[in-house]
């Protein structure tokens, strides 16, 4: 009830002055430049919006939304690296909550989801990992939810959510709801 949502299928909104009228942007697309070209000015506008105090939520493959833009890792914390193995095979895995004291994870206990466990994220930007999972393929631990504060902004990034089934896990739904509320400052 605290959210009013506007859905846009046009990434051109990212370059619009109207962006400042939103409390948060929920980015859930991979920009294949040939299909949906997004100008550098649009990405810079998003960067200014977040650095100025706006919220940003990056969902699933949104980690690759602007991989061709060098500044994206500063907003996303971690980005898709096409040189890495993309993800474990689709299947069930345990998500371990590390920081139950953060508003995005408050009241959420460890949970199992069925999805792709992303193993393809890279970056050196300082992040606070809220949840993680262990790959069944490489036995490494990978972040499943984290936050960062570019400038005055709030970013919640969660690579979970491959499809509707993956979003049906109660923990995933709560993570996205609470992470979005936190990013929006609500």
């Amino acid at each position: 009830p605290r959210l009013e949502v506007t859905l846009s299928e046009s990434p051109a909104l990212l370059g619009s002055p109207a962006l400042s009228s939103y409390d948060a942007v929920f980015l859930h697309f991979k920009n294949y430049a040939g299909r949906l070209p997004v100008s550098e000015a649009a990405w810079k506008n998003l960067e200014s919006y977040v650095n100025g105090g706006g919220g940003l939520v990056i969902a699933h493959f949104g980690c690759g939304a602007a991989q061709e833009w060098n500044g994206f890792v500063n907003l996303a914390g971690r980005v898709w690296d096409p040189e890495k193995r993309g993800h474990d095979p689709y299947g069930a895995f345990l998500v371990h909550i590390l920081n139950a004291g953060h508003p995005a994870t408050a009241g959420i206990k460890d949970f199992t989801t069925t999805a792709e466990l992303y193993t393809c994220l890279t970056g050196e930007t300082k992040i606070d990992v809220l949840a993680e999972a262990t790959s069944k393929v490489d036995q490494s631990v990978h972040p499943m939810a984290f936050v960062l504060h570019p400038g005055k902004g709030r970013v919640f990034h969660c690579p979970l959510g491959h499809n509707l089934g993956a979003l049906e896990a109660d923990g995933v739904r709560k993570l996205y709801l609470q992470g979005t509320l936190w990013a929006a400052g609500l």
Side-chain angles (χ1 to χ4, degrees):
R2 294 185 284 174
L3 296 175
E4 179 180 329
V5 177
T6 301
L7 178 64
S8 174
E9 294 184 5
S10 172
L13 179 62
L14 299 174
S16 168
L19 197 62
S20 65
S21 65
Y22 295 97
D23 295 317
V25 172
F26 194 105
L27 191 61
H28 190 327
F29 83 106
K30 163 65 178 105
N31 181 30
Y32 292 99
R35 288 192 331 207
L36 291 171
V38 180
S39 69
E40 173 111 3
W43 292 121
K44 291 296 229 175
N45 189 57
L46 177 63
E47 179 180 49
S48 294
Y49 162 80
V50 173
N51 284 332
L56 177 62
V57 177
I58 299 174
H60 193 56
F61 205 26
C63 62
Q67 73 182 64
E68 68 284 347
W69 176 51
N70 290 334
F72 189 55
V73 71
N74 298 325
L75 290 182
R78 298 291 179 271
V79 295
W80 176 55
D81 182 345
E83 301 298 317
K84 290 187 163 194
R85 179 177 62 83
H87 51 75
D88 281 9
Y90 187 84
F93 58 90
L94 178 69
V95 176
H96 178 65
I97 302 298
L98 298 176
N99 182 350
H102 191 278
T105 51
I108 301 174
K109 304 220 181 298
D110 294 357
F111 61 90
T112 299
T113 187
T114 301
E116 300 169 331
L117 192 158
Y118 268 23
T119 60
C120 56
L121 300 180
T122 191
E124 299 297 322
T125 305
K126 183 180 179 328
I127 61 172
D128 179 14
V129 179
L130 304 178
E132 65 186 15
T134 301
S135 165
K136 292 177 183 174
V137 175
D138 65 20
Q139 304 306 308
S140 296
V141 175
H142 300 275
M144 293 294 108
F146 54 91
V147 295
L148 59 149
H149 298 273
K152 297 177 185 174
R154 297 164 309 281
V155 176
F156 173 77
H157 188 153
C158 181
L160 298 171
H162 172 70
N163 59 15
L164 188 56
L167 293 169
E168 289 177 350
D170 191 44
V172 176
R173 288 194 322 266
K174 284 182 181 176
L175 266 177
Y176 274 115
L177 175 61
Q178 293 175 191
T180 301
L181 290 169
W182 173 81
L186 300 174

